[in-house]
Amino acid sequence: MAREIITIKKVKHPRYKFRVTFRQGETYLQKYFTARSGPDGADAFMAEKRVELLNEGRKHADFTDDERKAVIRARELAESFAAAGVKGFTLDAALTFYADHLHLRRRSVNVLAAYDEFVETRRKEGVSAVHLRDFTYRLERFAKKHAKRLVAEITTKDVDAWVFGLKNAPQSKDKHRRLLHNFFGYCAGRGYADENPVARAAKVKVIRKAPGILTPADTAALLAAAPAEIVPALAIGFFAGLRTAEIERLDWREIDLRRGFIEITAEKAKSSQRRLVEITPNLRAWLEPHAQRSGPVRLTEMRHKDRFDLARKTAGVAWPANACRHSFASYHLALHQDAAKTALQLGHTNTAVLFQHYRELATPEDAKAFFAITPSRSLPNNIIEMEVAA
């Protein structure tokens, strides 16, 4: 005898007298009533629900062979998972998971399109030209390699394979990874992926070397050999520690020689926060002969580079990467022994970077010599000219 699809039972309850139980799909449901007869009673609900359940059963009675096979397979998989201690597998859960997967694919876009959108968005946000070049150099290769794949298809394994397949140094690989993290974070925020695949990607081990700095003698020699057109930009880099990108955007109107500071506006700062940088006495001496009311402090990149390369060769100076800013930070910290003050000048939000990269790289004596370099005395006190020595 077939099991009744809906039943009624009298119950002991302070408010209700009857309980109707029925099965809806794989779930048993209950409904309570105060009376059995009447339009709102248990019998009327049972009659209506029985017709509804029978109609639903007839609607889904004609399963295709593929549908029957799917149900049988789902039961077998559920039993297999249960035997392995994995609970929660049901046909409904599997269908929901796959439907979500298809919805994700529908709203995702290919990697190259997402990359173009990401760069354009960053451009509208006012990201500097330096950062845009960084995106282009480091991310465009990845975007072109996976151009036709959907963002949602990129896995953590894909990220690992690409980052560790680069022929760059570890520090450069780490930079590629960080920019990829930014890119996929943007994509996840736009709904092109459910998660950021870089979040679980392997991290690149980077052994950070001490940053290269110039000695006071090399700094003096380079400034002495530099043509007047690039002296202000070089001097600001050495004795104020501004970032290259900040110097590129700097205007003479933002240099106040009378009050003794350089204003880095929020629009031109990497951190988007305005700061005032102190003009040291020797920096004032380098700037005053070239001061203008307005106009860019630095030449265009190509013109500056041509003149700088010639000056460096003339002076015979080996040039470490970012040597101006590194030299300033190291000598300023050695001279003042005040990490917070140096961090403020550099535009850092805390002192962690200073203690990680610059601490004790320079002696106080070298720092005094460095900040004593002026146009009238291009060699510091502790350097003896050859003719004088003779």
Side-chain angles (χ1 to χ4, degrees):
M1 182 176 178
R3 187 174 180 181
E4 182 63 60
I5 59 175
I6 184 167
T7 60
I8 186 171
K9 185 176 182 181
K10 196 169 185 179
V11 295
K12 293 181 179 180
H13 191 278
R15 294 173 55 194
Y16 303 108
K17 294 182 179 180
F18 300 94
R19 180 183 69 203
V20 176
T21 303
F22 57 96
R23 182 172 176 174
Q24 193 102 27
E26 296 182 0
T27 306
Y28 282 96
L29 302 174
Q30 297 176 341
K31 188 172 177 65
Y32 291 85
F33 298 86
T34 56
R36 181 158 185 167
S37 59
D40 296 325
D43 286 341
F45 175 80
M46 284 182 64
E48 184 178 340
K49 180 58 68 173
R50 184 177 283 112
V51 172
E52 178 187 325
L53 293 175
L54 287 173
N55 287 337
E56 184 177 336
R58 292 190 188 99
K59 179 181 178 182
H60 298 291
D62 297 328
F63 286 108
T64 65
D65 287 341
D66 286 341
E67 288 170 339
R68 289 191 183 90
K69 290 177 183 178
V71 172
I72 294 170
R73 187 175 176 221
R75 289 175 177 172
E76 291 173 347
L77 287 172
E79 291 174 1
S80 175
F81 281 125
V86 179
K87 298 180 180 180
F89 179 87
T90 63
L91 180 58
D92 183 61
L95 290 172
T96 300
F97 178 84
Y98 189 63
D100 290 343
H101 168 73
L102 292 179
H103 285 313
L104 174 60
R105 288 184 63 86
R106 287 181 62 187
R107 69 174 185 266
S108 190
V109 298
N110 67 58
V111 175
L112 188 58
Y115 162 78
D116 290 337
E117 181 186 314
F118 172 71
V119 172
E120 182 59 27
T121 300
R122 290 292 179 262
R123 182 179 288 110
K124 291 178 180 178
E125 291 173 347
V127 172
S128 70
V130 174
H131 279 79
L132 288 176
R133 286 198 298 269
D134 223 13
F135 294 148
T136 303
Y137 169 69
R138 299 181 193 278
L139 293 183
E140 192 172 53
R141 286 186 290 172
F142 181 90
K144 288 182 175 179
K145 178 178 175 64
H146 300 282
K148 295 183 179 180
R149 296 182 65 187
L150 294 176
V151 172
E153 294 175 342
I154 302 299
T155 65
T156 297
K157 187 176 180 180
D158 293 326
V159 173
D160 284 340
W162 189 75
V163 170
F164 289 97
L166 294 171
K167 296 181 180 180
N168 302 65
Q171 190 165 350
S172 180
K173 289 181 180 178
D174 183 57
K175 186 69 177 290
H176 280 79
R177 183 187 181 280
R178 284 188 280 118
L179 287 178
L180 273 181
H181 191 279
N182 292 343
F183 168 61
F184 279 106
Y186 169 87
C187 292
R190 293 298 186 278
Y192 302 151
D194 278 341
E195 61 180 4
N196 187 335
V198 189
R200 295 196 303 271
K203 294 184 178 180
V204 181
K205 185 177 181 180
V206 179
I207 301 175
R208 300 190 181 278
K209 299 178 180 179
I213 66 174
L214 263 60
T215 64
D218 282 346
T219 304
L222 180 61
L223 285 168
E229 297 168 292
I230 67 170
V231 164
L234 276 179
I236 289 172
F238 278 123
F239 306 123
L242 271 64
R243 299 178 176 92
T244 300
E246 292 172 341
I247 300 174
E248 288 176 349
R249 305 171 199 153
L250 191 65
D251 191 278
W252 278 103
R253 288 173 294 186
E254 294 152 350
I255 299 177
D256 192 334
L257 291 171
R258 182 177 62 83
R259 289 191 288 174
F261 64 79
I262 299 172
E263 179 187 8
I264 310 301
T265 62
E267 295 78 12
K268 298 179 180 180
K270 180 181 179 180
S271 60
S272 298
Q273 293 182 340
R274 176 180 177 268
R275 76 179 191 277
L276 299 178
V277 178
E278 177 189 359
I279 295 177
T280 59
N282 72 321
L283 176 56
R284 178 190 298 275
W286 285 104
L287 294 179
E288 282 180 339
H290 308 278
Q292 301 175 28
R293 288 184 179 274
S294 63
V297 173
R298 192 178 189 268
L299 299 177
T300 59
E301 176 62 25
M302 186 175 296
R303 294 175 65 204
H304 177 91
K305 186 177 185 304
D306 288 343
R307 289 155 179 76
F308 171 78
D309 288 343
L310 182 60
R312 183 178 57 79
K313 292 176 182 177
T314 301
V317 173
W319 185 255
N322 209 11
C324 284
R325 185 169 167 86
H326 288 162
S327 298
F328 170 83
S330 299
Y331 290 124
H332 192 276
L333 183 60
L335 181 66
H336 297 282
Q337 297 295 308
D338 187 340
K341 182 175 182 178
T342 303
L344 184 65
Q345 289 282 106
L346 292 169
H348 291 163
T349 55
N350 55 57
T351 60
V353 176
L354 279 175
F355 285 106
Q356 183 179 1
H357 294 290
Y358 304 120
R359 191 180 184 186
E360 297 178 353
L361 278 179
T363 65
E365 292 74 23
D366 284 341
K368 289 178 182 178
F370 181 80
F371 286 104
I373 300 172
T374 60
S376 58
R377 190 176 70 239
S378 59
L379 291 177
N381 293 333
N382 62 343
I383 304 297
I384 302 175
E385 295 182 64
M386 293 301 293
E387 291 182 4
V388 176

